[in-house]
């Protein structure tokens, strides 16, 4: 019988992470073209994303539960095919209602990735789990970068409809390829997660620590989703001297921000494998508030540098956060706990979208909202200091899978 390949499993998981973040971010560049084509306001078109952002959060918990009870790779196949078809369909709508419905489908199937894909990375890793998570995280960051960069040029070449349809076809094809790999034994479920500290609290996890982590996870999700949604408009308005308001250049600049930030996942993974997770977590949270303040108050080059810094800090923290959560989570409920994480973090996205549209309607800019986020980020630092040491809890058992 064919031995499952850990490398192939990682490849599909990385591709899923890339495509989720690509699809979750591309609308914020596409909307600039639809705004001109349909002669509708930015605020009205942004509201079409609201059901999708809501479903990305709400559907994460049942997705994680299904993965625990059924199959992680099976759920990822459902994600690839469902997300691909929904995205392809977005390119053929002629009304706001139709676009909203298919965007919601994108959000529903996209919700599967994080509560399923991240634990699957941990279960199929072979040592140096922090670096495995870091590489996986880089693909997510590159997805967000590619969404801005590639989408802008796809719009220039094929129009906004092509910017939806082409990635949709690619995503669906990957789902079919993964189904073939699963049916032929080239990938498998992966090992379970268990405690390596007999007699410690590790096997049962630490639900109090999980509950405390919900606060920084929510705030990190709120910051990430709000800044990601607003960044194309921020760059269009505040970097006119550098970008000239051209969608292609704006998309390229936003993409460059997330590409640079994505590379920091390697640094985050390196640190997570070698140093105390809590120390890394607190330290990276300390950077958030000052960067948000600069983002709120400045334009031009300072705005671009602050955006890069925020992307770097926000992505470098993720391997540490995921490892901490995996160790605090009870051994048999990794999917559910990660589902809760992404209900909270992606559930913050609709709130961020609401705050963006309301702030824009009231003030015509994003300054007050970003300052409020800076204050909240400073408060979260004190919450992270209350977390226990994660090394006293469960660590993943590494399976001996073939390459």
């Amino acid at each position: 019988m064919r031995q499952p390949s850990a490398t192939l499993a990682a490849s599909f998981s990385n591709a899923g992470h890339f495509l989720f973040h690509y699809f979750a971010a591309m609308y914020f560049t596409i909307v600039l073209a639809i705004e001109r084509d349909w002669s509708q306001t930015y605020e009205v078109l942004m509201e079409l994303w609201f059901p999708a952002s809501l479903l990305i959060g709400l559907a994460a918990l049942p997705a994680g539960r299904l993965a625990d009870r059924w199959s992680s790779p099976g759920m990822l196949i459902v994600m690839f095919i469902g997300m691909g078809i929904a995205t392809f369909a977005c390119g053929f709508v002629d009304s706001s209602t139709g676009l909203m419905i298919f965007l919601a489908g994108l959000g529903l199937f996209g919700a599967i990735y994080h509560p399923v894909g991240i634990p699957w990375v941990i279960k199929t890793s072979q040592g140096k789990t922090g670096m495995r998570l870091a590489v996986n995280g880089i693909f997510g960051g590159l997805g967000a970068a590619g969404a801005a960069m590639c989408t802008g040029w796809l719009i220039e070449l094929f129009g906004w409809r092509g910017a939806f349809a082409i990635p949709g076809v690619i995503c669906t094809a990957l789902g079919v390829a993964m189904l073939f790999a699963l049916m032929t034994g080239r990938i498998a479920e992966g090992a379970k997660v268990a405690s390596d500290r007999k007699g410690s609290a590790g096997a049962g996890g630490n639900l109090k620590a999980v509950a405390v982590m919900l606060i920084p996870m929510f705030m990190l999700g709120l910051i990430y989703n709000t800044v990601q949604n607003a960044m194309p408009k921020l760059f269009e308005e505040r970097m006119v001297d550098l970008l000239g308001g051209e969608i292609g250049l704006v998309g390229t600049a936003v993409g460059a921000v997330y590409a640079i930030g994505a590379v920091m996942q390697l640094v985050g993974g390196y640190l997570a494998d070698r140093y105390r997770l809590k120390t890394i977590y607190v330290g990276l949270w300390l950077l958030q508030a000052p960067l948000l303040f600069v983002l709120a108050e400045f334009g031009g080059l300072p705005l671009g540098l602050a955006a890069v810094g925020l992307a770097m800090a926000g992505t470098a923290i993720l391997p540490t956060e995921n490892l901490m959560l995996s160790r605090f989570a009870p051994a048999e409920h990794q999917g559910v706990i990660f589902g809760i994480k992404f209900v909270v973090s992606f559930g913050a996205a609709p709130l961020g979208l609401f705050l963006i549209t309301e702030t824009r309607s009231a003030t015509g800019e994003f300054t007050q909202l970003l300052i409020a986020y800076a204050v909240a980020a400073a408060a979260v630092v004190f919450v992270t200091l209350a977390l226990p040491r994660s090394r006293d809890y469960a660590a993943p058992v590494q399976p001996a899978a073939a390459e």
Side-chain angles (χ1 to χ4, degrees):
M1 184 177 178
R2 183 183 294 273
Q3 187 77 4
S5 168
T7 298
L8 187 58
S11 298
F12 279 118
S13 185
N14 292 342
H17 204 189
F18 177 93
L19 285 174
F20 168 78
H21 282 284
Y22 185 103
F23 288 173
M26 67 181 179
Y27 182 68
F28 310 119
T29 300
I30 292 175
V31 72
L32 301 179
I34 300 177
E35 181 182 4
R36 299 175 186 180
D37 188 21
W38 286 1
S39 299
Q40 295 191 27
T41 66
Y42 174 80
E43 291 79 12
V44 168
L45 290 171
M46 283 293 287
E47 289 174 355
L48 301 182
W49 180 253
F50 183 83
S53 66
L54 193 64
L55 286 168
I56 287 172
L58 293 179
L61 182 56
R65 181 61 173 162
L66 280 170
D68 282 339
R69 296 183 65 86
W70 176 47
S71 167
S72 294
M75 289 295 293
L76 290 176
I77 291 166
V78 172
M79 178 208 73
F80 277 122
I81 295 175
M83 194 165 63
I85 291 173
T87 304
F88 181 81
C90 285
F92 293 88
V93 298
D94 292 313
S95 68
S96 297
T97 301
L99 182 58
M100 183 174 65
I101 289 170
F102 287 117
L103 286 174
L106 188 163
L108 176 65
F109 289 104
I112 294 171
Y113 182 76
H114 286 87
V116 178
I118 302 299
W120 197 49
V121 170
I122 295 171
K123 289 191 292 184
T124 56
S125 293
Q126 294 180 308
K128 295 188 177 180
T129 309
M131 285 301 291
R132 289 275 187 171
L133 287 169
V135 171
N136 179 263
I138 284 176
F139 276 88
L142 291 176
M149 192 177 297
C150 297
T151 300
W153 294 114
L154 281 175
I155 291 170
E156 298 287 344
L157 294 172
F158 304 105
W160 65 265
R161 296 184 184 277
F164 273 124
I166 293 170
V169 171
I170 294 170
C171 187
T172 305
L174 277 171
V176 174
M178 187 173 180
L179 176 61
F180 175 78
L182 181 62
M183 292 178 66
T184 55
R186 289 172 168 81
I187 57 174
E189 186 67 26
K192 291 196 177 288
V193 176
S195 174
D196 66 352
R197 300 180 183 274
K198 296 179 181 179
S200 76
N206 184 338
L207 293 179
K208 289 183 179 179
V210 171
V212 172
M213 284 194 73
L214 294 179
I215 298 172
M217 288 189 301
F218 172 82
M219 195 61 213
L220 190 64
L222 188 62
I223 291 170
Y224 179 88
N225 284 287
T226 300
V227 173
Q228 182 186 63
N229 294 1
M231 194 177 295
K233 197 66 175 176
L234 272 171
F235 278 25
E236 184 186 45
E237 293 179 343
R238 293 202 203 168
M239 300 183 74
V240 176
D241 291 343
L242 296 175
L243 305 176
E246 295 183 21
I247 294 178
L249 291 177
V250 168
T252 300
V254 173
V257 168
Y258 283 103
I260 295 168
V263 175
M264 281 300 293
Q265 295 249 15
L266 284 177
V267 177
Y270 176 88
L271 294 173
D273 281 333
R274 287 163 177 78
Y275 301 100
R276 291 182 179 179
L277 298 179
K278 179 180 175 180
T279 302
I280 301 166
Y281 201 56
V282 173
L284 290 172
W285 261 108
L286 281 168
L287 299 176
Q288 303 279 330
L291 290 168
L292 283 163
F293 180 79
V294 175
L295 205 66
E297 293 290 345
F298 294 88
L301 186 59
L303 170 68
L305 293 175
V308 170
L310 191 66
M312 290 170 68
T315 53
I317 204 171
L318 293 176
T320 294
E321 183 174 86
N322 287 327
L323 272 177
M324 289 176 72
L325 187 63
S326 179
R327 293 186 180 183
F328 291 144
E332 298 299 319
H333 300 289
Q334 296 280 307
V336 169
I337 294 300
F338 273 88
I340 292 171
K341 169 185 174 173
F342 292 107
V343 166
V344 169
S345 60
F346 286 119
L351 175 59
L353 188 59
F354 171 78
L355 292 173
I356 284 174
T357 55
E358 290 299 307
T359 303
R360 286 282 302 188
S361 297
T363 67
E365 56 183 13
F366 302 107
T367 302
Q368 294 179 4
L369 179 60
L370 292 170
I371 289 176
Y373 279 11
V375 174
V380 167
V381 172
F382 295 97
V383 176
T384 62
L385 289 170
L387 288 166
R389 296 178 303 178
S390 64
R391 65 182 181 181
D392 293 334
Y393 293 87
V397 171
Q398 307 299 339
E403 291 294 325

